[in-house]
Amino acid sequence: MSDVSSPQQIAASLTEHWSPRVVAEVDDSYVKVAKVKGSLAWHSHDQEDELFLVLKGRLRIEMEDRTVELGEGEMFVVPKGVRHNPVAEEECHLMLIERKTTLHTGDVVSDKTRSLAEQLRPV
């Protein structure tokens, strides 16, 4: 089933930071939106790449060998196996594309970790 939706509007409506919500499925991937602020956690996804697209604000993705800064409309793919830590100094809205097997904080569990069931809750 397909419906027209606005990732920007959905992300803006979220009330929790670092609590991504699934808004669509494409084959074996989920499209998610999130509202973020502060730092998530250093983690990696051993078997999955992760695409970050900034809908609003700025996002810094820290990695062990470099750091990338993303502005509105910019995207970056963190390759599988790369330890990374997303950071937003101010509130930032994101769209993420991840395989359905991708765990929220990968190999790390923290108070910000969200289960797939939490991410699949209706918006």
Side-chain angles (χ1 to χ4, degrees):
M1 173 170 59
S2 294
D3 291 317
V4 174
S5 64
S6 168
Q8 292 93 337
Q9 289 178 349
I10 297 169
S13 75
L14 298 177
T15 58
E16 297 175 85
H17 291 125
W18 299 111
S19 186
R21 301 300 272 283
V22 173
V23 295
E25 295 181 46
V26 180
D27 295 325
D28 67 344
S29 296
Y30 284 128
V31 178
K32 303 176 182 180
V33 295
K35 187 182 278 188
V36 301
K37 185 176 180 183
S39 177
L40 179 57
W42 278 96
H43 66 283
S44 65
H45 308 282
D46 291 338
Q47 302 301 316
E48 302 98 357
D49 297 330
E50 185 175 24
L51 182 143
F52 290 81
L53 171 66
V54 175
L55 302 171
K56 178 181 176 185
R58 299 195 59 77
L59 182 72
R60 182 173 71 243
I61 303 175
E62 300 172 339
M63 294 167 279
E64 292 175 338
D65 66 340
R66 68 180 174 142
T67 297
V68 296
E69 299 268 350
L70 303 176
E72 288 184 26
E74 294 182 318
M75 69 179 192
F76 180 77
V77 175
V78 176
K80 66 182 112 218
V82 173
R83 289 188 51 76
H84 60 287
N85 180 35
V87 179
E89 299 298 332
E90 302 294 330
E91 188 172 89
C92 176
H93 301 176
L94 301 174
M95 186 168 74
L96 306 154
I97 300 177
E98 305 171 335
R99 287 179 47 200
K100 292 179 180 179
T101 55
T102 305
L103 299 176
H104 181 221
T105 52
D107 58 350
V108 171
V109 176
S110 76
D111 61 332
K112 294 179 182 170
T113 301
R114 298 294 178 260
S115 69
L116 184 55
E118 290 174 294
Q119 296 177 61
L120 286 165
R121 288 180 295 148
V123 179

